[in-house]
Amino acid sequence: MANSHPRNESTNRSQFIKKYFGNVLHKSFLDFGGNRGNILHFHPDIDKSKYTCVDVCQRSLELGKKEFKLGNWIHYDRYNYAYNIKGKHDESLPIVSKHDLTFAYSVISHTTIEEMIDILKWMKDATKEKIVVSYLDIDLLPLREYFYNQRIKKYGWCTNFIDINTENINYAYLLDEDEFIVNGNDLKFPEGEGLFVTFYKREYLLKKLEENGIKARIDISPTHVPFIIVDV
């Protein structure tokens, strides 16, 4: 199982909380994929007694619960090639009370398109006011370069998905260093744990969400992080 994320400026999402949610005082907050509650460390305005973290990494939740005892910590024991290889493939999303705000950073970037839709539908049912979810945009070259360089560092090689024409790509799976699967359903995860991300064409992503009853918009942050915004 993957280790807990480090707590440093690379995991500080406070700028996005301020930009997209504004004042979070007295708001209930659902942090999907929240790891060990780094948001609570970097953004102390969030009421810990109204905070819920859902994550596939049990160890991260244990650390978060130890540090922020007032929070609500839920293990979503779903299989994930990058973060929870011992999880269940058919694990249902947990039942949670409705929260005012829902946030997810670098979550649907590591799921299949089918799971992404399930997660966003679940979020809509669990949220009263606003949902903010980061994703990977296939048309943003800096994002492709980041994950290309990540694999070069880990494996010493990577299939070239930098110099590609993205015009006809609706979504693409990047599996480890050697598979770049475009618009396909033939995704098969190998044994063990590895690297896996999903890129989306923004127009296709918005269309798929609308087909599933989710009216969303896209915003690209100054740091090239794209977000799905849903006003519930």
Side-chain angles (χ1 to χ4, degrees), residues 126-162:
T127 308
K128 298 177 185 177
E129 297 180 14
K130 194 173 190 179
I131 302 167
V132 176
V133 178
S134 74
Y135 77 100
L136 297 181
D137 195 306
I138 190 65
D139 290 318
L140 294 180
L141 180 59
L143 290 180
R144 302 207 307 275
E145 290 175 336
Y146 172 84
F147 288 100
Y148 177 84
N149 291 331
Q150 180 191 62
R151 281 150 177 74
I152 291 293
K153 184 177 180 179
K154 181 177 175 64
Y155 300 110
W157 179 85
C158 184
T159 186
N160 182 11
F161 62 96
I162 299 297

Side-chain angles (χ1 to χ4, degrees), residues 16-24 29 101-103 130 132:
F16 305 125
I17 302 301
K18 293 176 182 177
K19 175 177 172 61
Y20 295 114
F21 294 125
N23 187 353
V24 296
F29 198 98
L101 310 173
T102 295
F103 182 72
K130 194 173 190 179
V132 176

Side-chain angles (χ1 to χ4, degrees), residues 9 46 68 73 89 104 115 144 155 161 169 175 195:
E9 281 306 308
I46 295 174
F68 304 109
W73 306 87
H89 288 271
E115 190 176 2
R144 302 207 307 275
Y155 300 110
F161 62 96
I169 297 179
L175 182 60
L195 298 179

Side-chain angles (χ1 to χ4, degrees), residues 4 15 49 84 87 91-92 109 113 116 130 141 145 157 219:
S4 178
Q15 61 174 309
S49 67
N84 190 23
E91 181 78 352
S92 298
S109 313
I113 185 171
M116 177 275 293
K130 194 173 190 179
L141 180 59
E145 290 175 336
W157 179 85
D219 186 75

Side-chain angles (χ1 to χ4, degrees), residues 23-222:
N23 187 353
V24 296
L25 281 172
H26 312 301
K27 298 287 188 179
S28 53
F29 198 98
L30 178 57
D31 189 7
F32 191 78
N35 203 253
R36 58 184 175 129
N38 289 331
I39 280 179
L40 295 178
H41 173 80
F42 289 110
H43 208 85
D45 284 353
I46 295 174
D47 187 338
K48 297 171 183 59
S49 67
K50 297 180 179 181
Y51 171 85
T52 298
C53 177
V54 177
D55 203 281
V56 298
C57 182
Q58 179 69 54
R59 176 57 178 161
S60 297
L61 294 167
E62 291 170 356
L63 292 172
K65 187 175 183 179
K66 184 177 180 180
E67 183 176 5
F68 304 109
K69 295 179 176 60
L70 294 178
N72 185 27
W73 306 87
I74 300 174
H75 186 209
Y76 174 43
D77 194 18
R78 174 79 176 229
Y79 169 85
N80 188 280
Y81 180 62
Y83 294 107
N84 190 23
I85 58 172
K86 294 182 179 180
K88 304 176 185 69
H89 288 271
D90 59 350
E91 181 78 352
S92 298
L93 285 152
I95 298 173
V96 298
S97 60
K98 280 206 171 190
H99 290 64
D100 296 318
L101 310 173
T102 295
F103 182 72
Y105 190 96
S106 191
V107 173
I108 66 167
S109 313
H110 305 282
T111 67
T112 64
I113 185 171
E114 292 82 10
E115 190 176 2
M116 177 275 293
I117 292 170
D118 287 343
I119 289 171
L120 266 293
K121 290 169 68 176
W122 172 84
M123 286 180 174
K124 183 182 177 185
D125 290 339
T127 308
K128 298 177 185 177
E129 297 180 14
K130 194 173 190 179
I131 302 167
V132 176
V133 178
S134 74
Y135 77 100
L136 297 181
D137 195 306
I138 190 65
D139 290 318
L140 294 180
L141 180 59
L143 290 180
R144 302 207 307 275
E145 290 175 336
Y146 172 84
F147 288 100
Y148 177 84
N149 291 331
Q150 180 191 62
R151 281 150 177 74
I152 291 293
K153 184 177 180 179
K154 181 177 175 64
Y155 300 110
W157 179 85
C158 184
T159 186
N160 182 11
F161 62 96
I162 299 297
D163 304 318
I164 59 172
N165 184 343
T166 64
E167 182 179 355
N168 295 317
I169 297 179
N170 291 327
Y171 65 95
Y173 298 130
L174 176 61
L175 182 60
D176 292 320
E177 80 282 23
D178 57 352
E179 289 192 64
F180 189 69
I181 304 167
V182 174
N183 301 342
N185 297 315
D186 53 345
L187 175 65
K188 294 182 180 179
F189 293 110
E191 294 293 325
E193 183 178 277
L195 298 179
F196 169 69
V197 294
T198 305
F199 294 91
Y200 293 97
K201 175 80 72 174
R202 69 193 70 172
E203 294 84 3
Y204 176 80
L205 179 57
L206 291 174
K207 179 182 177 183
K208 291 298 292 184
L209 292 176
E210 188 166 8
E211 287 174 353
N212 284 275
I214 302 169
K215 184 68 175 179
R217 55 189 170 88
I218 300 294
D219 186 75
I220 311 296
S221 78

